[in-house]
Amino acid sequence: FLERSLNIDPKKEPLENILRNAGELQEITQKFLENICSKPEYCPIEIRIILNIIANEVSTKFPEMRLPIIINLFYIRFLVPFIINGSTNKNVAIIITKTINNIFNRILFGEKEMYMIYMNGVITESNFKLVNIFLENLIDDSQIFNKFI
């Protein structure tokens, strides 16, 4: 990530900087999301197997929760530590992780964190579809278990 701060908090930055920073942050977040979602095969096979087993078990009792469970498990246990620990700019990393979390959970930013509304531009239907395709591929039996045949 960038070395300089890309603050979008109106308490800390003038509006013109916020708009510029938000544009850069949206671009970085979009590229990061596309990069992750285009390469499910880069996720270690052991993690994919565990996620597959959990998805199958959850879907037997709660079919509608299959992807939400996998989304949150993958995001919280693997993606957040990867983003935060791999970044020299914690402010940017936190904004990206919050935004990706909202994309994964289909939630726009609102009153709770007003300064984050500038990131709603990447919380889109096309990104919801991108994430769903990624997760389906991540836990797809044929893509996982064909590696062992």
Side-chain angles (χ1 to χ4, degrees):
F1 298 123
L2 301 172
E3 292 299 319
R4 68 182 183 85
S5 174
L6 292 174
N7 209 320
I8 55 174
D9 188 342
K11 295 175 186 167
K12 299 177 182 177
E13 288 289 330
L15 182 60
E16 67 183 45
N17 290 357
I18 290 171
L19 296 175
R20 184 187 68 241
N21 292 347
E24 282 187 59
L25 284 165
Q26 285 181 18
E27 189 177 315
I28 292 167
T29 303
Q30 185 66 41
K31 286 179 182 177
F32 190 82
L33 185 68
E34 289 170 0
N35 228 350
I36 290 169
C37 291
S38 69
K39 298 173 178 86
E41 67 277 5
Y42 284 21
C43 182
I45 193 72
E46 296 84 0
I47 293 172
R48 294 179 73 188
I49 290 170
I50 292 167
L51 293 174
N52 173 276
I53 292 168
I54 292 169
N56 289 335
E57 288 298 315
V58 167
S59 67
T60 60
K61 292 185 181 183
F62 308 101
E64 72 285 354
M65 293 304 295
R66 180 175 163 264
L67 281 183
I69 292 290
I70 297 307
I71 284 170
N72 287 299
L73 180 62
F74 179 75
Y75 174 77
I76 291 168
R77 292 291 174 211
F78 304 110
L79 199 54
V80 169
F82 171 77
I83 295 170
I84 298 293
N85 293 328
S87 175
T88 56
N89 189 328
K90 299 300 182 209
N91 180 50
V92 171
I94 289 168
I95 292 170
I96 289 172
T97 57
K98 285 181 177 188
T99 305
I100 290 176
N101 180 56
N102 282 24
I103 293 168
F104 275 22
N105 290 295
R106 297 175 171 244
I107 299 169
L108 291 172
F109 290 106
E111 289 183 30
K112 184 180 171 191
E113 294 180 294
M114 284 299 289
Y115 72 96
M116 290 294 294
I117 63 168
Y118 297 104
M119 296 305 292
N120 282 344
V122 291
I123 303 173
T124 64
E125 189 63 36
S126 62
N127 280 337
F128 299 157
K129 290 177 185 174
L130 181 69
V131 166
N132 278 354
I133 291 167
F134 166 71
L135 290 166
E136 289 290 351
N137 289 332
L138 193 66
I139 60 173
D140 181 36
D141 290 341
S142 66
Q143 292 188 31
I144 296 170
F145 297 111
N146 281 344
K147 295 181 185 276
F148 296 111
I149 298 175

